[in-house]
Amino acid sequence: MDARNTQHVVVIGAGFAGLAAAWELVRRGVRVTVCEADQELGGLAGSFEVGGTRLEKFYHHWFTSDTHVVELVKELGQADQVLHRPTRTGMYFAHNFFRLSTPMDVLRFTPLSLPARFRLGLLALRARRVQDWRKLEDLTAKEWLVRLGGREVYDAVWKPLLEGKFGEYASEISAVWFWNKLKLRGGSRGKGGEEVLAYYKGGFAALAEQLSQAICSNGGTIRLGTRVSGLLAWDGRVAGVRTEHGPIAADAVLATPALPIVADIVDSHVPPEYQASLRRIEYLANICIVLELDRSLSETYWLNVNDPGFPFVGVIEHTNFEPPETYAGRRLVYLSKYLPESDELYRMPDDQVVRFCLGHLQRMFPALSPDWILGAHVWRARYSQPIVVRQYGALIPPVETPLSGLYLSSMAQVYPEDRGTNYAIREGRAAAAKIAEALSVTEHRNAALSVRR
Ligand SMILES: Cc1cc2nc3c(=O)[nH]c(=O)nc-3n(C[C@H](O)[C@H](O)[C@H](O)COP(=O)(O)OP(=O)(O)OC[C@H]3O[C@@H](n4cnc5c(N)ncnc54)[C@H](O)[C@@H]3O)c2cc1C
């Protein structure tokens, strides 16, 4: 038997980082138990049922550059399940809709003067040419964007997006964060310059399910509805986790939830200054309203709302990406808003949220009638977007922790890229490889010790 089979790893969280880590560990012959607080797989990329098919609670797609997902999907033998589709992007600005999918659309964007339109087009190209993102670490997104595209472009295009997404934190957001967004969206293009995005047949839920089956059929265990409340430690080394259903012994533990949750879990097993460092990065929450409609709102998949008078920054008509036939003919629209947990909208009862947002949506689409609505859902996530400030790299805790055998692979550690399932997979697997390596060293050392004894 492989030496590593005798060692057991507990992974906290069955989001894409946790599932990918568990997959990497079972592939390397390490015994794994994944403990997930929720009753479902997927974490932030989790789903619910609409018209007989699983749909993400929060809109999800991949970019064509998301290679770590593709690699994983190939290992699962599911490469034919990835779908690539052109999508339309637009902007709602000054009570008008503008298409912004191709370079030609940018040239036709009349709210900007002609020179500013050229500067906007050039900005996207110049941003993609940045080789060393470290040179941007000291700059705010605002400083960098004004330098690159001028004030007019910043005020009309970028400022509303930054303020819509980050609210009071907008002026602190790092240029590195924005550079990444421009690089990803600008790079995910077809031959005609149109945006091409990717999705999975059956949604992200189908991929999470495939991954879970692959983990379990290779000897791993996934325990849903099993919240980890603390750690077991012995002699400065992790010895397992405490759960609401009892303790689970482990030789190593990988924590994948948001850092403030990990700070609660590690409690007194680490020095207080380390525990405090896990609370340094701040996060915004997100609220997504999902409307099931009997007809389409527009032909656009991704509509940025560049008007601060609206309580959402994006109107994402998912069925302009994945066809309505997948959902028994229903048209599905997300209204998304990032906000502090204390925001009134985040705390409103669901029916009030829907009524409030619908009123605003009718200002954009005056024909929209409540009769079109077949269903409405409200989803909230407390830790949905780490606030990426200047010199963010210095705030990120390493994968290894002061408690021997405890490792971290959390969304906020993804950098210089921003969070996303592709990077959750990359980081989860990298942490798992480190753990397997460390365990095999420990195992060999223990074996050597027992021989000597
Ligand atoms: C609105 C929105 C839109 C997004 N759109 C996209 C997109 O289009 N494409 C894309 O790739 N990504 C997108 N993302 C980002 C993506 O969802 C995340 O980056 C990714 O899912 C993070 O995975 P993770 O495993 O690191 O973390 P999570 O998904 O947060 O997983 C952590 C898991 O730990 C569990 N957990 C927490 N506490 C405990 C505990 N005490 N015990 C046990 N389990 C616990 C949680 O329930 C959760 O399942 C979006 C996110 C949001 C919020």
Side-chain angles (χ1 to χ4, degrees):
M1 187 166 84
D2 189 311
R4 285 164 298 184
N5 273 332
T6 55
Q7 306 239 6
H8 180 223
V9 177
V10 165
V11 174
I12 309 175
F16 274 89
L19 290 174
W23 168 240
E24 186 64 39
L25 286 164
V26 294
R27 269 164 48 97
R28 289 167 180 259
V30 180
R31 206 156 58 83
V32 180
T33 301
V34 181
C35 294
E36 167 56 53
D38 226 341
Q39 296 296 343
E40 308 254 347
L41 301 169
L44 283 173
S47 305
F48 68 111
E49 200 174 302
V50 177
T53 306
R54 308 289 297 170
L55 172 76
E56 295 71 41
K57 295 172 181 169
F58 306 92
Y59 55 86
H60 271 73
H61 55 245
W62 290 304
F63 297 104
T64 50
S65 52
D66 283 345
T67 52
H68 301 283
V69 175
V70 174
E71 207 175 295
L72 175 73
V73 167
K74 278 190 191 149
E75 284 168 14
L76 298 175
Q78 304 292 330
D80 58 341
Q81 301 296 296
V82 178
L83 311 158
H84 284 96
R85 298 207 175 97
T87 55
R88 259 192 196 192
T89 309
M91 184 184 283
Y92 182 79
F93 180 77
H95 313 295
N96 271 306
F97 292 93
F98 297 93
R99 203 176 146 172
L100 275 181
S101 294
T102 65
M104 276 315 286
D105 295 335
V106 174
L107 288 178
R108 287 190 212 106
F109 187 56
T110 49
L112 291 178
S113 64
L114 197 59
R117 282 178 239 166
F118 276 107
R119 292 196 81 173
L120 176 58
L122 281 177
L123 182 147
L125 291 178
R126 288 171 71 190
R128 279 164 62 191
R129 267 197 234 115
V130 170
Q131 298 288 334
D132 185 4
W133 57 270
R134 284 177 191 83
K135 292 195 176 136
L136 303 180
E137 275 225 287
D138 269 336
L139 291 175
T140 63
K142 179 181 174 183
E143 288 164 340
W144 182 63
L145 290 166
V146 170
R147 191 183 290 178
L148 228 58
R151 189 86 215 187
E152 187 185 344
V153 171
Y154 177 78
D155 283 344
V157 180
W158 308 122
K159 186 177 170 205
L161 285 183
L162 265 173
E163 289 184 350
K165 175 132 187 178
F166 289 103
E168 61 185 89
Y169 299 96
S171 61
E172 295 169 44
I173 298 307
S174 163
V176 176
W177 184 86
F178 218 98
W179 163 71
N180 250 297
K181 290 289 152 194
L182 290 172
K183 193 166 72 119
L184 278 182
R185 283 220 104 116
S188 204
R189 303 266 150 194
K191 287 197 185 95
E194 77 286 7
E195 184 164 62
V196 175
L197 299 175
Y199 196 59
Y200 199 78
K201 252 186 218 165
F204 281 52
L207 177 57
E209 193 50 49
Q210 296 278 357
L211 199 44
S212 147
Q213 279 171 19
I215 293 162
C216 297
S217 58
N218 282 282
T221 305
I222 298 181
R223 293 175 59 166
L224 297 175
T226 305
R227 180 180 300 279
V228 170
S229 54
L231 295 178
L232 304 169
W234 183 250
D235 231 3
R237 187 173 171 87
V238 80
V241 295
R242 280 192 281 118
T243 80
E244 48 201 344
H245 308 300
I248 303 175
D251 300 288
V253 172
L254 174 65
T256 71
L259 295 175
I261 299 178
V262 179
D264 288 342
I265 292 174
V266 295
D267 196 23
S268 57
H269 295 291
V270 293
E273 54 280 13
Y274 176 76
Q275 196 186 14
S277 77
L278 297 179
R279 300 190 199 278
R280 269 193 315 222
I281 294 174
E282 293 187 77
Y283 294 68
L284 284 175
N286 181 277
I287 186 163
C288 259
I289 297 101
V290 187
L291 298 175
E292 299 177 37
L293 304 177
D294 70 356
R295 67 200 81 178
S296 176
L297 280 182
S298 80
E299 291 183 345
T300 300
Y301 165 60
W302 187 278
L303 184 69
N304 284 312
V305 182
N306 277 32
D307 183 330
F310 285 84
F312 36 80
V313 275
V315 177
I316 297 124
E317 190 161 340
H318 175 77
T319 37
N320 287 336
F321 177 39
E322 175 69 9
E325 294 71 52
T326 309
Y327 311 96
R330 284 157 192 245
R331 315 291 161 134
L332 305 172
V333 177
Y334 293 94
L335 308 176
S336 168
K337 174 79 180 158
Y338 289 89
L339 65 196
E341 188 192 18
S342 55
D343 195 285
E344 204 188 332
L345 182 64
Y346 193 71
R347 287 160 178 265
M348 265 184 204
D350 289 2
D351 54 341
Q352 222 174 308
V353 170
V354 173
R355 270 201 310 278
F356 178 68
C357 288
L358 202 60
H360 287 282
L361 194 62
Q362 280 172 317
R363 288 204 283 135
M364 292 171 86
F365 300 96
L368 167 65
S369 145
D371 305 341
W372 298 10
I373 301 173
L374 306 171
H377 313 264
V378 179
W379 301 107
R380 294 174 183 78
R382 165 60 192 95
Y383 297 107
S384 69
Q385 173 67 58
I387 298 175
V388 182
V389 292
R390 279 184 302 170
Q391 296 293 349
Y392 181 80
L395 300 178
I396 301 175
V399 174
E400 288 90 354
T401 72
L403 181 63
S404 179
L406 173 69
Y407 299 82
L408 288 184
S409 179
S410 184
M411 188 168 74
Q413 290 166 284
V414 173
Y415 189 71
E417 301 87 358
D418 189 28
R419 43 127 242 207
T421 49
N422 183 57
Y423 303 109
I425 290 168
R426 180 186 74 186
E427 298 301 313
R429 295 188 79 157
K434 242 178 210 173
I435 295 172
E437 229 12 69
L439 285 183
S440 82
V441 170
T442 318
E443 184 82 7
H444 293 316
R445 199 169 46 225
N446 288 347
L449 282 177
S450 60
V451 170
R452 260 187 251 129
R453 257 188 232 127

